[in-house]
């Protein structure tokens, strides 16, 4: 039994079949990579997990509960947390505030009217946020405004914002897109380190180096259909995958 | 006052609010050189300070630009006069009733308007305010008394008033024998200003306030962070509506007459100007903005050619006449022109408002005196000027 079970998910955009009977089982504690050429439906699939899109048919079960029909904040409260392709952060606020907000959201739930508490006195939340910032290597910059950070740092910040929520399932949409090789390797190391906490992860990625360094299992999506699902070693040698996506040359 | 910009501890807040209270209650002294120390104007500083502070909780924190806040001002005013009519001239029930009724109104209008954001939200609030304004003149005339305005009459029930000692003079709001007029009226408004600014300050520093700032910056991320943004924005809308209701009540406590013109869209626009002029998202900014605009309105508009001629009387005749005719465009009837120019200059050169200018001057002074390092640490968290949205 997987922690996330996706059964026969279909999604059409007008005449375009974005997802065609997609099935997916993600084991608890594993890293499951979803790869595929551009337009294969990877992001559409991810959007179906977080409440941004509702599939036309099919089911998405997380921990035995359906995620369909829930609003994004309700899905987050069940423990499914998403890192976006372009970092979604609070650009006008400091890094520390950026991380404290998700920590408050996890502690206080979807809404809490506490206008007379003082942020300065929320030591527990602050310490938690500081620890996470230290873990991703941003503790020195905690008082800087988020918009002043580099792209790579913004990605690390967003990751910190997701980690501070103690996610059960972490969805990563191209966590290393647009990063230099050094930054990419640093991110791989970071993701491996947080892997030790037993967080289940789904990674969408183009960079084969990242995929093969992290993934326990790989699903290959092409034109909305899962054409292969296996351990990385077998995916490498799968001729169907090479034809559809890798073209044989990359490996 | 410079410290209003930096984040500080609870103890620091108490010091700041004490300083602010001193500044408010010594207004009759330090406003004297500007010719602005008469009670009527100072009452308006306090009342519009409250109005703008409340507006800033919505606009400054969440970024939702309401163009209909004057509706709550009007609702507060009518409620206050009705409280006078029914319960008597004591200002306390009027204040409580106005805040509650304005809050309920804000809940309804906010619930509907907050389904949209950006310009659509602004238009919805504007539509609601104009609707209230027109209803007050038409179908709601039994409640609002239409164009004549709602006033307290001697034959009204006023069940808690002692009618044996009353004369035929105009009815004035009073508590413990203190009449809410002149300086007493100003101090009453001043006390409420200090209290409401303190509450606003607590909100700014709370986790709730932090969530509101997050709404302004990235609502999408907040939704995917497990936060339901609707109740947050609605709470901010209701709180700011209550502030407006309080301001409306105070207007009637000073002068027990409520008219619908208070709800016109120009009044809603004015509070937007005040907030932007002073500094969006800062605590003291909107109050400075409210003070500046009310000062311009009262002092500049009172200038006439004669007073100008007196000012330029030391110059040779020909020159002084030219100067008088040029300057008269900007004062008296033309005070809006000066205000408009000032507003344009601020928005272009100081998008963070007057407070940004003050903090720049403060930093300059700090650098001169060699405290630049310290200031950097203190001011590092100062809210940045509004990015062009």
């Amino acid at each position: 039994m997987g922690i996330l079970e996706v059964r026969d998910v279909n999604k059409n955009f007008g005449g375009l079949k974005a997802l065609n009977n997609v099935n997916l089982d993600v084991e608890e504690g594993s890293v499951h990579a979803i790869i595929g050429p551009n337009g294969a439906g990877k992001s559409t699939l991810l959007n179906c997990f977080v409440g941004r899109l509702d599939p036309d048919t099919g089911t998405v079960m997380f921990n035995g509960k359906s995620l369909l029909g829930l609003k994004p904040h309700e899905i987050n409260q069940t423990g499914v947390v998403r890192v976006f392709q372009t970092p979604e952060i609070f650009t006008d606020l400091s890094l520390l505030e950026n991380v404290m907000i998700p920590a408050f959201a996890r502690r206080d739930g979807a809404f809490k009217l506490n206008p007379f508490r003082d942020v300065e006195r929320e030591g527990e939340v602050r310490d938690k946020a500081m620890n996470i910032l230290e873990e991703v290597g941003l503790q020195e910059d905690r008082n800087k405004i988020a918009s002043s950070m580099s792209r790579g740092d913004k990605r690390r910040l967003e990751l910190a914002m997701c980690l501070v929520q103690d996610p059960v399932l972490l969805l990563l949409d191209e966590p290393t897109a647009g990063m230099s090789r050094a930054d990419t390797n640093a991110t791989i190391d970071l993701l491996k380190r947080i892997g030790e906490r037993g967080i289940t992860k789904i990674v969408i990625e183009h960079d084969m180096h990242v995929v093969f360094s992290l993934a326990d299992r790989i699903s290959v999506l092409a034109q909305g259909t899962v054409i292969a699902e296996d351990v990385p070693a077998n995916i490498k040698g799968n001729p169907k995958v090479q034809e559809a996506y890798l073209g044989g040359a990359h490996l | 006052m410079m410290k209003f910009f930096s984040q500080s501890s609870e103890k620091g807040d108490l010091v700041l609010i004490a300083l602010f209270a001193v500044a408010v209650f010594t207004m009759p002294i330090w406003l004297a050189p500007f010719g602005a120390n008469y009670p009527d104007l100072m009452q308006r500083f306090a009342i519009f300070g409250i109005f703008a502070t409340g507006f800033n909780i919505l606009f400054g924190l969440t970024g939702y630009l309401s163009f209909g806040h004057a509706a709550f001002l009007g609702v507060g005013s009518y409620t206050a006069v009705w409280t006078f009519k029914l319960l008597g001239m004591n200002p306390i029930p009027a204040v409580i009733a106005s805040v509650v009724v304005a809050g309920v109104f804000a809940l309804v209008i906010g619930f509907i308007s907050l389904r949209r954001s950006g310009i659509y939200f602004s238009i919805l609030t504007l539509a609601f305010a104009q609707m209230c304004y027109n209803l007050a003149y038409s179908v709601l005339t039994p409640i609002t008394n239409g164009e004549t305005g709602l006033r307290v009459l001697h034959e009204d029930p006023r069940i808690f008033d002692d009618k044996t000692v009353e004369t035929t003079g105009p009815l004035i709001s009073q508590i413990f024998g203190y009449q809410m007029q002149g300086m007493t009226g100003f101090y009453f408004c001043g006390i409420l200003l200090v209290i409401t600014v303190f509450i606003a300050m607590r909100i700014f520093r709370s986790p709730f306030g932090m969530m509101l700032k997050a709404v302004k910056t990235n609502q999408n991320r907040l939704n995917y962070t497990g936060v339901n943004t609707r109740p947050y924005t609605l709470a901010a809308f209701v709180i700011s509506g209550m502030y407006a209701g309080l301001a409306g009540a105070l207007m009637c406590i000073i002068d027990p007459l409520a008219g619908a013109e208070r709800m016109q869209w120009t009044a809603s626009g004015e509070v937007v100007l005040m907030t932007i002029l002073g500094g969006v998202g800062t605590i003291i900014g909107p109050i400075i903005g409210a003070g500046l605009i009310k000062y311009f309105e009262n002092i500049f508009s009172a200038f006439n050619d004669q007073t100008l001629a007196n000012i330029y009387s030391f110059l040779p005749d020909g020159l002084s006449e030219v100067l008088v005719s040029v300057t008269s465009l900007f004062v008296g009837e033309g005070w809006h022109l000066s205000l408009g120019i000032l507003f344009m200059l601020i928005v272009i050169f100081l998008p963070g408002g007057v407070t940004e200018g003050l903090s720049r001057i403060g930093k300059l002074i700090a650098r001169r005196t060699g405290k630049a390092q310290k200031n950097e640490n203190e001011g590092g968290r100062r809210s940045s000027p509004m990015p062009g949205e």
Side-chain angles (χ1 to χ4, degrees), chain B residues 35-55:
Chain B
N37 62 337
Y38 54 97
D40 185 50
L41 183 56
M42 289 191 298
Q43 287 161 6
R44 255 180 268 176
F45 285 164
I47 292 170
F48 282 92
I50 293 172
F51 189 22
T53 300
F55 183 77

Side-chain angles (χ1 to χ4, degrees), chain B residues 163-220:
Chain B
K163 293 195 184 149
T164 52
V165 292
E166 267 165 22
T167 55
T168 49
L171 286 159
I172 292 157
S173 178
Q174 53 183 311
I175 181 169
F176 308 131
Y178 291 105
Q179 295 200 326
M180 290 298 140
Q181 279 193 319
M183 290 309 286
T184 322
F186 161 67
Y187 284 119
F188 186 75
C189 298
I191 290 167
L192 284 169
L193 175 67
V194 172
I195 294 171
T196 50
V197 168
F198 182 67
I199 293 173
M201 216 155 151
R202 301 306 316 155
I203 292 174
F204 269 63
R205 308 255 199 264
S206 67
F208 172 73
M210 200 187 237
M211 288 297 179
L212 296 182
K213 284 183 217 166
V215 168
K216 179 178 182 175
T217 313
N218 192 341
Q219 200 163 157
N220 191 37

Side-chain angles (χ1 to χ4, degrees), chain A residues 3 22 47 64 66 85 87 97 100 103 110 157 182 184 208-209 221 238:
Chain A
I3 192 162
V22 171
N47 284 337
S66 174
Q85 198 170 346
E97 285 174 309
M100 281 177 81
L157 174 63
T184 303
M208 287 305 123
H209 170 62
L221 219 59
N238 188 326

